[in-house]
């Protein structure tokens, strides 16, 4: 639970940058390259994304590597480093994306129709150059602290595992 609807006015883009940097920015104990190498070695995929009213964290891993995967997942969720150099890169990429959002008339039309129908509604508050430039590492850390709360999470699992065993592993991984 939680998403861009919860971004403070003037801080549009905060949720997306937080999710992106959690996955690509490394942790307090692991450099970004180390996280990538560990996941590659395990043939695992870890993704984090935030939409309007919800976020999703997904780990895809072989059953035999679940313990290692959960340990990496926990570290990424609990201890993201939010490295400034990675934040600067992500902001630059987001700014490049803003430059192309008016390339298709359909996207302009959709935005304007939404503004006409809903007015000043969180859905209509778009990321701008000013809002991206205003975001700091501290903003991402504060949003992370707010979002990464047990009350905001639902856990679903699918795959080749025994339910009780997986429940114990999840409990052990996330007990703190």
């Amino acid at each position: 639970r939680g998403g861009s609807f919860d971004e403070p006015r003037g801080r549009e883009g905060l949720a997306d940058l937080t999710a992106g940097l959690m996955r690509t920015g490394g942790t307090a104990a692991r450099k970004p390259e180390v996280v990538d190498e560990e996941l590659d070695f395990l043939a695992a995929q870890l993704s984090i994304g935030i939409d309007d009213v919800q976020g999703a964290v997904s780990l895809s891993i072989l059953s035999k590597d679940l313990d290692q995967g959960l340990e990496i997942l926990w570290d990424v969720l609990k201890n993201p480093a939010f490295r400034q150099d990675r934040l600067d890169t992500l902001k630059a990429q987001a700014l490049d994306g803003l430059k192309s959002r008016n390339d298709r008339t359909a996207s302009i039309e959709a935005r304007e129709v939404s503004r006409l129908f809903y007015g000043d509604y969180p859905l209509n508050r778009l990321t701008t150059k000013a809002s991206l430039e205003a975001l700091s590492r501290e903003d991402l850390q504060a949003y992370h602290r707010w979002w990464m709360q047990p009350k905001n999470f639902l856990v679903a699992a699918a795959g080749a595992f025994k339910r009780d065993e997986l429940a114990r592993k999840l409990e052990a991984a996330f007990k703190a």
Side-chain angles (χ1 to χ4, degrees):
R1 299 178 182 114
S4 63
F5 275 28
D6 299 310
E7 294 172 330
R9 189 175 295 279
R11 294 289 193 256
E12 293 82 5
L14 174 61
D16 194 43
L17 285 181
T18 301
L21 215 52
M22 284 175 67
R23 171 54 193 96
T24 63
T27 70
R30 291 177 166 95
K31 291 183 179 181
E33 301 80 15
V34 171
V35 173
D36 291 339
E37 288 171 6
E38 289 178 343
L39 292 170
D40 286 346
F41 180 76
L42 297 171
Q45 293 181 358
L46 174 62
S47 63
I48 302 173
I50 300 179
D51 293 324
D52 297 336
V53 294
Q54 68 180 5
V57 178
S58 175
L59 173 66
S60 178
I61 194 162
L62 295 172
S63 300
K64 69 179 184 66
D65 299 322
L66 182 60
D67 293 336
Q68 287 176 280
L70 287 175
E71 195 275 321
I72 295 168
L73 174 64
W74 173 249
D75 194 26
V76 166
L77 291 178
K78 187 70 176 159
N79 307 306
F82 296 116
R83 288 175 169 76
Q84 187 64 48
D85 61 328
R86 292 289 176 129
L87 175 58
D88 294 341
T89 300
L90 207 54
K91 284 168 105 174
Q93 291 170 345
L95 286 170
D96 283 344
L98 292 181
K99 293 175 186 174
S100 65
R101 78 174 165 197
N102 289 331
D103 289 351
R104 295 178 316 280
T105 59
S107 65
I108 298 168
E109 293 163 4
R111 282 195 317 266
E112 292 307 313
V113 164
S114 182
R115 285 185 188 171
L116 286 171
F117 284 149
Y118 302 112
D120 185 25
Y121 185 67
L123 184 66
N124 293 329
R125 284 187 256 151
L126 302 175
T127 303
T128 64
K129 182 177 188 239
S131 69
L132 280 174
E133 289 175 348
L135 293 173
S136 68
R137 183 174 181 262
E138 290 75 23
D139 291 323
L140 274 65
Q141 290 170 325
Y143 187 84
H144 172 263
R145 280 190 303 275
W146 172 83
W147 186 45
M148 287 292 134
Q149 300 293 323
K151 66 181 173 140
N152 291 335
F153 277 83
L154 302 171
V155 177
F161 57 83
K162 291 185 176 22
R163 181 179 169 185
D164 293 340
E165 182 180 331
L166 180 63
R168 279 192 302 277
K169 287 183 180 195
L170 289 170
E171 252 330 290
F174 297 103
K175 67 182 174 190

